[in-house]
Amino acid sequence: MGASRLVLLCTRDRPFPGFLAAAARVRQGVAVEETLARWFQPGEAGPVVEYARRCLLEADRDSWALDLESIAEFSFDVSLLTMPVLVVAAEFDGVSTPEVMEAMAARMPQGRFVLWEGAGHLSPFLDAARLAELLRCG
């Protein structure tokens, strides 16, 4: 059996109360273009962005809001992760900021932080080759 490892991409590990306000906004209606602007960098386009747009338009707002409320209170002690963990942050991610993700990696016994320069929250999914390279080399 090969070595096990975990990859964390643009995520958080601590309670994030800001998602309570986000849940309330989702229940009121989704500002599709504003949300896409938080997730992707200016000028990014293509099938992934269009898929995200469709998902935003078709999302069950109550379920989405419940998910955000759960994330707002979620907490996990990442220092309990004993396997190698690659923590990949997008440079321009406004929620899973590089600072938050680097601090998370530092709390892990075998955490390793990598910054994806020039990327937004969902930008990594626009460049599968670069993502695969980071996962292989990380």
Side-chain angles (χ1 to χ4, degrees):
M1 178 177 277
S4 295
R5 74 175 182 151
L6 176 65
V7 175
L8 300 176
L9 178 64
C10 300
T11 190
R12 296 185 68 98
D13 71 322
R14 302 235 169 156
F16 186 64
F19 274 179
L20 292 175
R25 286 191 305 273
V26 164
R27 282 195 171 93
Q28 294 171 357
V30 179
V32 173
E33 296 308 315
E34 182 182 311
T35 301
L36 291 172
R38 281 194 309 275
W39 290 352
F40 297 99
Q41 288 303 114
E44 291 180 332
V48 173
V49 176
E50 290 311 309
Y51 173 74
R53 180 177 279 109
R54 276 194 319 276
C55 288
L56 289 169
L57 290 168
E58 298 170 4
D60 175 333
R61 285 189 275 167
D62 287 330
S63 295
W64 185 3
L66 286 171
D67 290 344
L68 288 169
E69 289 165 350
S70 295
I71 294 169
E73 298 173 357
F74 178 80
S75 182
F76 177 77
D77 184 358
V78 295
S79 70
L80 299 174
L81 298 173
T82 58
M83 77 290 285
V85 181
L86 177 64
V87 178
V88 180
E91 181 179 11
F92 300 113
D93 192 329
V95 174
S96 305
T97 64
E99 297 78 20
V100 165
M101 295 202 58
E102 187 170 24
M104 181 173 56
R107 292 192 302 276
M108 300 175 195
Q110 294 190 65
R112 181 166 173 267
F113 175 78
V114 174
L115 178 65
W116 185 318
E117 294 181 2
H121 183 64
L122 293 182
S123 298
F125 299 106
L126 297 173
D127 189 347
R130 176 72 177 123
L131 179 57
E133 178 185 330
L134 278 174
L135 298 180
R136 270 194 309 275
C137 298

